[in-house]
């Protein structure tokens, strides 16, 4: 299969042509270290969540060997308790930059592992990574609170659990638990405790906003319950509509924070995925087309744009922003693995207290 054939689903009129897709894929690949690590950009740190997001984009572009190398980095450097540190300087595992262990960061590799399996059909890979997924999920669920929400992190010094929960982070954990359970089902590994934990978490996200820290100024708290699969159907549509005018700047993208004149590429691309998952493909494509203004000459994407000042800020082009854009393209363009992971079809829903 030629390079253009591997990425033809990423070519969408008014968004990217084949040459532009190839340039963006090459840009992410250029950030990846020889050991598989994918920092934000060379010289900056790596965190497990954004590393995984970039790896998923490589898989969506047919760069399966590079994606597998990224997951192997996670396998080699997982800590004994199933976690990873929150940041590593330039992706160097010997140089942790933040020894906190965040539940959202530790859960997300399960999404990437399941995505890689769906993209490649490589069951040997899935079996090799199963202990990694199992260890990470068990670490995360040790921080789940009685109300179903997931505590934010373990502190680096004494391992103290920060029991406060973030809606965005818990919604991402919800997505990861569904993918982890899909992997468990494929391998014949029964995980009834995970099913119960997933159901309790989804119930908390849908029914109990008071169990999460108040962060509704941030657009991620708006769309992540939809993106993470906890809120679906008419409720998802209603949630998107309720805050659309507050966060969306037509022609530019999505504000990171509702009261700041700053749109960001990562949040905009994730909103595309949430819109697509909610069945609103037309608006998903429209938002994707807006993001051309954040594209740099090298094919990567600027983190954000302050529209009141007509200024790019910060002056950085991250692997995960480009990665989120490619994943949004893959979903809208009909790539099966990405569609299955973000669309949620076939992913377990857990033992849902809402139904009883």
């Amino acid at each position: 299969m030629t390079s253009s054939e591997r990425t033809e689903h990423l070519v969408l009129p008014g968004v990217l042509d084949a040459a532009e897709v190839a340039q963006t894929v090459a840009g992410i690949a250029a950030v990846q270290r020889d050991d598989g690590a994918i920092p934000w950009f060379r010289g900056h740190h790596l965190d497990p969540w954004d590393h995984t997001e970039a790896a998923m984009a490589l898989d969506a572009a047919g760069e399966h060997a590079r994606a597998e190398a990224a997951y192997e980095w996670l396998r080699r450097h997982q800590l004994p308790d199933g976690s990873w540190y929150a940041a590593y300087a330039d992706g160097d595992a010997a140089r942790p930059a933040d020894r906190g262990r965040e539940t959202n960061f530790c859960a997300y590799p399960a999404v990437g592992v399941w995505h890689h399996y769906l993209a490649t059909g490589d069951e040997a890979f899935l079996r090799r990574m199963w202990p990694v997924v199992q260890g990470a999920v068990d670490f995360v669920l040790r921080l789940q609170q009685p109300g179903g929400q997931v505590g934010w992190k373990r502190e680096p010094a004494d391992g103290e659990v920060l029991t406060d929960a973030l809606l965005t982070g818990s919604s991402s954990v919800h997505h990861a638990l569904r993918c982890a359970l899909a992997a468990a089902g494929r391998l014949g590994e029964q995980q009834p405790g995970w099913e119960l934990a997933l159901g309790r978490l989804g119930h908390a996200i849908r029914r109990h906003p008071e169990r999460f820290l108040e962060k509704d100024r941030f657009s991620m708290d708006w769309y992540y319950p939809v993106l993470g699969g906890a809120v679906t159907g008419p409720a998802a549509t209603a949630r998107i509509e309720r805050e659309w005018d507050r966060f969306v700047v037509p022609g530019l993208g999505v504000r990171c924070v509702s009261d700041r004149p700053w749109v960001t590429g990562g949040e905009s691309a994730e909103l595309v995925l949430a819109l697509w998952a909610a069945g609103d493909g037309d608006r998903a494509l429209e938002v994707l087309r807006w993001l051309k203004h954040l594209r740099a000459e090298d094919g990567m994407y600027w983190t954000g744009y302050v529209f009141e000042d007509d200024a790019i800020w910060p002056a950085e082009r991250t692997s995960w922003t480009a990665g989120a854009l490619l994943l949004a393209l893959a979903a809208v363009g009909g790539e099966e693995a990405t569609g299955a992971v973000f669309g949620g079809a076939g992913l377990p829903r857990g033992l849902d207290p809402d139904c009883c």
Side-chain angles (χ1 to χ4, degrees):
M1 182 181 294
T2 66
S3 175
S4 61
E5 289 173 329
R6 290 198 304 269
T7 60
E8 60 184 12
H9 53 274
L10 300 177
V11 176
L12 290 178
V15 184
L16 294 182
D17 62 27
E20 289 170 326
V21 168
Q23 187 185 33
T24 300
V25 175
I28 297 174
V31 175
Q32 188 173 31
R33 291 164 40 115
D34 290 343
D35 63 358
I38 311 175
W40 286 23
F41 48 87
R42 294 310 299 266
H44 198 59
H45 73 252
L46 171 154
D47 71 71
W49 199 102
D50 290 308
H51 167 86
T52 299
E53 185 87 338
M56 292 171 68
L58 290 171
D59 261 330
E63 295 287 343
H64 302 310
R66 284 189 171 278
E68 184 171 349
Y71 296 121
E72 283 295 317
W73 188 93
L74 290 169
R75 186 180 67 82
R76 291 195 306 273
H77 301 301
Q78 189 173 30
L79 297 170
D81 66 358
S83 70
W84 294 270
Y85 292 131
Y88 299 83
D90 196 31
D92 184 348
R95 294 194 293 149
D98 180 349
R99 292 179 182 268
R101 288 159 288 160
E102 299 191 18
T103 48
N104 175 30
F105 286 6
C106 295
Y108 202 59
V111 179
V113 166
W114 184 240
H115 181 256
H116 183 80
Y117 168 70
L118 293 178
T120 64
D122 186 351
E123 189 161 320
F125 165 85
L126 189 63
R127 291 190 178 279
R128 188 166 66 253
M129 292 298 295
W130 170 247
V132 176
V133 171
Q134 186 175 34
V137 170
D138 287 345
F139 168 80
V140 170
L141 292 185
R142 286 194 290 272
L143 277 69
Q144 188 171 32
Q145 302 304 301
Q149 72 276 25
V150 177
W152 176 25
K153 66 186 288 190
R154 279 195 183 275
E155 291 280 38
D158 55 8
E160 178 189 359
V161 175
L162 296 188
T163 57
D164 289 337
L166 302 172
L167 180 58
T168 294
S170 285
S171 296
S172 183
V173 170
H174 183 274
H175 187 198
L177 287 175
R178 297 185 73 194
C179 292
L181 278 167
R186 182 67 185 87
L187 297 174
E189 298 280 351
Q190 301 300 313
Q191 297 291 336
W194 294 6
E195 294 183 28
L196 179 59
L198 173 60
R200 292 172 57 222
L201 176 56
H203 177 81
I205 292 168
R206 287 186 294 274
R207 305 295 186 190
H208 293 283
E210 75 280 0
R211 294 178 184 171
F212 300 92
L213 291 175
E214 182 62 51
K215 298 283 186 180
D216 67 355
R217 293 171 56 241
F218 293 84
S219 61
M220 288 189 293
D221 264 24
W222 164 47
Y223 63 76
Y224 245 95
V226 178
L227 180 60
V231 177
T232 59
T237 300
R239 186 180 185 91
I240 294 294
E241 291 301 327
R242 187 165 62 245
E243 302 288 354
W244 182 268
D245 292 337
R246 184 181 180 203
F247 287 110
V248 175
V249 182
L252 294 179
V254 178
R255 295 175 190 257
C256 178
V257 186
S258 62
D259 55 358
R260 295 289 185 268
W262 181 44
V263 295
T264 49
E267 277 82 350
S268 298
E270 288 180 337
L271 177 63
V272 170
L273 287 165
L275 287 167
W276 179 83
D280 194 347
D282 290 342
R283 279 203 298 193
L285 182 56
E286 181 182 20
V287 176
L288 262 178
R289 287 176 173 154
W290 295 345
L291 297 184
K292 290 284 271 188
H293 76 103
L294 291 176
R295 185 177 177 86
E297 291 183 1
D298 63 358
M300 298 295 277
Y301 285 78
W302 298 106
T303 298
Y305 173 69
V306 182
F307 49 86
E308 282 190 357
D309 299 333
D310 189 23
I312 292 292
W313 185 84
E316 60 185 31
R317 304 179 304 282
T318 56
S319 58
W320 51 266
T321 299
L325 185 283
L326 290 181
L327 288 171
L329 275 169
V332 174
E335 194 266 320
E336 290 185 6
T338 304
V341 165
F342 287 101
L347 291 180
R349 298 209 63 88
L351 299 175
D352 188 354
D354 283 353
C355 73
C356 306

